[in-house]
Amino acid sequence: MNTLRLYDYQEQMLREIEDVLSEPSTQYVLTGGNRRLRQGRSVMVQMPTGTGKTFLMAAVIGRFLDRNPQGGVWIVAHRRELVAQIQEILARFGIGRLAERRNGIRVMSIQWLSRHVREIQTAPGLIVVDEAHHSVAPTYQKLWESFPEARKLGMTATPCRMQKRGFPPLFDQLLTSWSINEFIRKGRLSLYDYVVINRNSEEQITIDGLKKRGADGDFSTVEMEEKLNTEAIIGRLYKSVERYANGKKGIVYAIDIRHARKIAELYARNGMRAEAIDSKTPALRRKRVVEDFKAGRIDCLVNVNLFDEGFDCPDVEFIQMARPTLSLSKYMQMIGRGLRVHPDKKLCVIIDNVGLYRLFGLPNAERDWPAMFAGEVAGKGSLRRKRKEIRVINNDMEIVASHSHLLPQSKEERERYLERVEPFEKDGRWGLRVGEEIILNPIYMKIMPFVGKYSAFELIPNNWGVLLRNGKQYIPAQFRSIEILPDGDAIMTRNEISRRRVHLDTTFSDPQDRWEWWGFKGPFGEGPHSSSGHHMLCM
């Protein structure tokens, strides 16, 4: 049997899982109409896509079988395609053969299990659910009720649901691993560049106007296909790949098979080796296409709901999102296919042709997984733009994140980088950038040139504040006018009778003055300076 070597974060998570599963449960379940204590503990584990959840699962199973030779393990997946992948990884480390000798392990889809559960003679000691964000389905609830004494382990990158449904009825608690930022910083996930359609593009305006929803609360596939499967939009899909990912290997996420085929056909006409597949593609052909892609004989896989979960090809160099979604889980799963690390891969280019960035932010944004697990926050994006707003069409792409921004930097390196920040105007709004990298999206009415490390910005007419070079607000927009001077002072006018000259570095040093004249705490709470540094002068 091969040795299953885990990274430090996997070892830590393994210990935490074992600690939870070894504790007695304090939760009750209904079985046969009777309320009874659930004997087996249950835990959900959150780890980003590409950080080895399946390897950790194999380690948990191996340890469990060592300690419970007759315990039995069931691994449950929500799709047939995932069953074969899990079996392959278990076999790679000999866990499957070891378990068979003890009559202890089975890998099944939830659909098969729900039909045949009564035919299985032995009860499991441990039930492991892969992609456990699907476990709110009634079939999993029935599984829990059928085997209340079994321990349960759920593995997912995204413990959230669009419908704001929580997981505590199934899992006692949530364990979270490092953030995506931490994994990137430690070289366990890939650097990335992120480009997105303009907020005034035809695609974004079309998506903002989508009105129909499917049974799951997401966009209607029929309406998406009708509005987005056009020659002009597909032409721009290709142009964005040509510009930002030329010669790279990647995956495209399409709306449906007709959309996927049209994309693949256009890419092929332009010299790319592209293939379109979905869950209905015959198994043998799908297997051949995937093997060709992994071997480098195909440049681009255009898929429909097939590779957003469970697909492992670390040398993917670009991800193109050609289908919108309101699901945070789907967004993170799609992007995750490109964030795996590979020796020959410098970074992944994420090409967002449907504006998901504006719904969910960047992949490495901080997310409140515990609140989503509890059902307090929905894993769903919302369209906030007013439908009747008149916009001038602009089909350019925007770079909203560069891999250089993700590299570990010293404080001095970061300050030198930010010295190059400058205001820019787009479609009547102002933001900040360094070259093509966006530091602050164009959201303000006006941003003045920087004077040292400060810039005056106008939020709405006659409401001015002060920005730092990193895009953070140093002084909220509460002033009629602000003039920043070369010596680090600023002349700030609140109204006709209230005008002051202040030294910006020490403006917030006096708490009493902040409350009486400024009317807020200041950007640093109680202020970073002592009252001895006060340099505010009345004029």
Side-chain angles (χ1 to χ4, degrees):
M1 182 172 72
N2 294 336
T3 301
L4 184 58
R5 294 184 178 180
L6 300 179
Y7 292 117
D8 51 355
Y9 62 89
Q10 293 171 319
E11 288 282 4
Q12 178 183 344
M13 185 61 76
L14 176 60
R15 291 192 296 271
E16 292 180 15
I17 292 170
E18 291 182 327
D19 287 345
V20 173
L21 294 182
S22 65
E23 297 174 1
S25 177
T26 58
Q27 292 200 11
Y28 289 84
V29 293
L30 288 175
T31 55
N34 297 316
R35 186 172 180 267
R36 60 174 293 185
L37 181 67
R38 184 168 66 202
Q39 298 299 320
R41 287 281 286 177
S42 60
V43 61
M44 177 178 277
V45 172
Q46 182 275 327
M47 291 172 60
T49 299
T51 59
K53 290 189 298 297
T54 310
F55 287 85
L56 175 62
M57 179 196 303
V60 173
I61 292 169
R63 291 275 192 93
F64 179 82
L65 290 173
D66 285 342
R67 297 171 182 176
N68 303 274
Q70 305 302 322
V73 177
W74 289 3
I75 306 174
V76 184
H78 77 284
R79 286 208 322 253
R80 309 192 289 276
E81 294 82 5
L82 298 177
V83 171
Q85 178 183 329
I86 295 169
Q87 289 173 329
E88 179 182 339
I89 291 177
L90 294 178
R92 192 184 307 172
F93 297 100
I95 293 176
R97 292 191 298 275
L98 178 65
E100 285 169 5
R101 288 200 299 271
R102 295 170 175 172
N103 192 29
I105 190 167
R106 303 187 67 148
V107 185
M108 301 164 280
S109 71
I110 187 63
Q111 294 83 3
W112 185 92
L113 181 57
S114 63
R115 294 193 303 268
H116 299 278
V117 65
R118 296 182 183 279
E119 302 170 14
I120 303 175
Q121 300 300 316
T122 56
L126 172 65
I127 297 174
V128 181
V129 179
D130 189 39
E131 305 296 353
H133 50 281
H134 295 285
S135 61
V136 295
T139 47
Y140 289 94
Q141 183 66 50
K142 292 179 181 178
L143 179 62
W144 258 238
E145 293 173 356
S146 298
F147 302 99
E149 296 185 1
R151 296 176 177 87
K152 284 92 175 178
L153 168 65
M155 308 290 292
T156 181
T158 52
C160 61
R161 299 298 298 175
M162 289 178 60
Q163 298 85 358
K164 203 175 177 179
R165 294 180 63 184
F167 297 92
L170 296 173
F171 296 98
D172 295 325
Q173 70 183 83
L174 173 72
L175 298 176
T176 58
S177 187
W178 296 345
S179 67
I180 289 179
N181 267 328
E182 186 77 358
F183 279 109
I184 292 176
R185 190 166 64 84
K186 294 189 176 180
R188 300 304 183 194
L189 286 178
S190 171
L191 297 166
Y192 68 85
D193 291 341
Y194 197 115
V195 296
V196 64
I197 53 173
N198 190 283
R199 66 174 61 251
N200 290 333
S201 65
E202 292 181 47
E203 287 89 331
Q204 188 68 70
I205 294 171
T206 299
I207 292 164
D208 289 345
L210 293 176
K211 298 178 180 179
K212 298 179 181 178
R213 300 291 182 263
D216 60 356
D218 207 345
F219 293 115
S220 160
T221 300
V222 173
E223 187 181 22
M224 285 192 293
E225 205 275 340
E226 177 187 347
K227 300 290 181 63
L228 297 174
N229 191 7
T230 69
E231 289 186 10
I233 290 177
I234 291 176
R236 286 194 288 274
L237 290 177
Y238 172 73
K239 287 181 180 178
S240 60
V241 172
E242 183 183 38
R243 178 177 179 183
Y244 296 104
N246 188 32
K248 296 183 181 296
K249 172 180 178 177
I251 298 174
V252 180
Y253 291 92
I255 297 166
D256 59 15
I257 191 59
R258 287 192 299 176
H259 189 221
R261 286 171 180 168
K262 287 184 70 172
I263 294 171
E265 288 168 3
L266 177 63
Y267 287 15
R269 287 200 302 270
N270 284 278
M272 290 182 69
R273 297 172 296 177
E275 292 277 356
I277 57 176
D278 72 343
S279 60
K280 296 182 180 178
T281 303
L284 289 177
R285 180 177 179 273
R286 188 167 66 231
K287 181 179 179 182
R288 176 185 58 79
V289 169
V290 170
E291 289 175 350
D292 286 347
F293 178 71
K294 290 184 175 182
R297 295 185 289 270
I298 292 176
D299 301 318
C300 178
L301 277 183
V302 188
N303 83 104
V304 182
N305 295 329
L306 197 58
F307 300 138
D308 50 345
E309 293 173 340
F311 182 69
D312 184 8
C313 187
D315 62 345
V316 167
E317 297 173 286
F318 80 85
I319 295 293
Q320 183 175 41
M321 292 173 288
R323 63 144 297 158
T325 181
L326 292 170
S327 168
L328 171 62
S329 179
K330 186 176 287 292
Y331 169 70
M332 297 298 294
Q333 296 283 352
M334 288 190 293
I335 285 175
R337 302 307 125 192
L339 295 186
R340 296 178 185 273
V341 292
H342 188 272
D344 299 328
K345 170 179 161 183
K346 177 182 177 182
L347 58 89
C348 177
V349 180
I350 300 170
I351 307 174
D352 181 358
N353 292 93
V354 288
L356 298 185
Y357 163 75
R358 296 189 180 90
L359 292 176
F360 306 114
L362 292 172
N364 59 311
E366 294 297 326
R367 309 188 194 280
D368 193 346
W369 295 127
M372 295 184 192
F373 169 81
E376 298 168 357
V377 176
K380 183 177 182 180
S382 59
L383 299 171
R384 297 184 177 90
R385 183 170 293 278
K386 295 179 181 179
R387 300 288 188 261
K388 295 181 180 180
E389 182 178 347
I390 298 175
R391 289 183 269 178
V392 178
I393 299 297
N394 183 339
N395 288 325
D396 294 337
M397 301 287 287
E398 299 179 28
I399 300 175
V400 292
S402 168
H403 67 279
S404 61
H405 203 187
L406 300 168
L407 291 170
Q409 292 178 314
S410 67
K411 181 179 178 181
E412 293 75 18
E413 289 173 329
R414 184 64 180 164
E415 288 177 350
R416 286 197 298 270
Y417 177 78
L418 291 176
E419 286 176 359
R420 299 162 49 202
V421 169
E422 59 183 13
F424 74 100
E425 184 270 336
K426 195 161 191 173
D427 303 328
R429 292 284 175 175
W430 287 77
L432 300 176
R433 68 184 177 192
V434 176
E436 284 194 288
E437 182 178 355
I438 305 297
I439 302 298
L440 174 68
N441 283 310
I443 57 175
Y444 294 127
M445 287 191 64
K446 181 66 179 178
I447 299 179
M448 303 300 293
F450 277 88
V451 180
K453 60 183 179 181
Y454 301 110
S455 169
F457 75 96
E458 188 177 25
L459 179 64
I460 58 177
N462 298 317
N463 280 256
W464 287 82
V466 177
L467 285 178
L468 298 173
R469 287 184 174 271
N470 61 7
K472 303 288 186 182
Q473 288 190 19
Y474 185 67
I475 299 176
Q478 298 182 355
F479 299 88
R480 178 169 292 185
S481 68
I482 295 177
E483 180 186 358
I484 299 177
L485 306 176
D487 61 359
D489 284 4
I491 298 173
M492 310 185 72
T493 301
R494 182 179 286 282
N495 51 47
E496 291 83 354
I497 61 173
S498 198
R499 183 167 178 260
R500 288 194 180 188
R501 177 169 178 154
V502 303
H503 188 65
L504 289 172
D505 283 345
T506 54
T507 294
F508 304 100
S509 59
D510 190 314
Q512 185 66 26
D513 189 74
R514 284 201 305 274
W515 283 110
E516 290 180 359
W517 195 79
W518 296 87
F520 62 91
K521 288 185 178 181
F524 305 106
E526 289 307 312
H529 308 289
S530 65
S531 59
S532 61
H534 188 50
H535 291 280
M536 187 172 292
L537 301 175
C538 294
M539 295 184 65

